Amino acid sequence: MRLNLFRYIPLLFGLLSTNLGLAESSDPVAAIEKFFSHFNGMDKEKLNEVSDSPFVFSIGGNITKADRYGDLINFEGLIQSGWAYSKLSDTRLIYQDETTAMIDLSFTRHDTNNKVISSSKAIYVLVKKQNTWKLKAGFVPSALTLGD
């Protein structure tokens, strides 16, 4: 009796994709790293996918709220300010339970010559919905432009 491996390939891919999805969604730090990747890709649609609604941002004491994170950012304005990309410097998980997490992080913004144009600290609150971590709120103590 010959084993038909092709019959089991869809099952194998299904199990692998489920496993990989769970590993990624169970880690709020990975969600932050994914967020920075989408930010550097200037992909508002993906930024909106990784954020929850509403998203609340406190920057330098000024509070803004939008349906999703991507609705707050203006990449054209950021580019005009000299921004080319952002880089995470440090992440520290402050708190995590089954449905919420809080991450303390620092990051730098760079220009096209890889020169640091700003350094910032932030705290992000994430919520877990449908087994996926999403950014819910961000707190940046100092001034930080979103390109407006």
Side-chain angles (χ1 to χ4, degrees):
M1 180 181 209
R2 190 174 152 199
L3 182 63
N4 187 352
L5 292 177
F6 291 109
R7 183 174 27 179
Y8 296 101
I9 288 176
L11 176 63
L12 180 62
F13 279 118
L15 288 172
L16 284 174
S17 64
T18 300
N19 228 1
L20 292 173
L22 288 175
E24 182 178 66
S25 67
S26 66
D27 183 1
V29 173
I32 290 288
E33 291 167 348
K34 180 189 277 189
F35 164 80
F36 270 81
S37 175
H38 296 323
F39 191 94
N40 286 333
M42 296 185 285
D43 192 333
K44 285 187 176 189
E45 185 177 315
K46 296 247 188 218
L47 287 171
N48 286 341
E49 288 175 12
V50 298
S51 61
D52 193 38
S53 180
F55 181 84
V56 179
F57 223 155
S58 173
I59 300 174
N62 296 318
I63 298 172
T64 56
K65 182 172 74 170
D67 189 43
R68 305 274 181 180
Y69 182 90
D71 301 332
L72 293 171
I73 198 74
N74 176 355
F75 285 112
E76 290 177 17
L78 275 178
I79 291 168
Q80 289 175 0
S81 75
W83 174 84
Y85 67 95
S86 298
K87 183 178 177 183
L88 271 171
S89 305
D90 187 38
T91 58
R92 183 173 60 96
L93 183 65
I94 298 172
Y95 174 80
Q96 179 180 352
D97 63 24
E98 293 296 317
T99 58
T100 57
M102 184 177 280
I103 296 180
D104 181 24
L105 60 89
S106 59
F107 66 96
T108 51
R109 287 183 173 173
H110 299 256
D111 65 13
T112 55
N113 296 318
N114 299 319
K115 180 182 170 195
V116 174
I117 57 175
S118 71
S119 297
S120 300
K121 292 192 65 60
I123 293 177
Y124 280 92
V125 174
L126 293 85
V127 293
K128 194 171 190 179
K129 292 194 170 176
Q130 298 175 343
N131 211 32
T132 302
W133 288 104
K134 295 184 177 276
L135 282 75
K136 182 67 174 176
F139 305 90
V140 180
S142 57
L144 180 71
T145 183
L146 296 177
D148 38 14

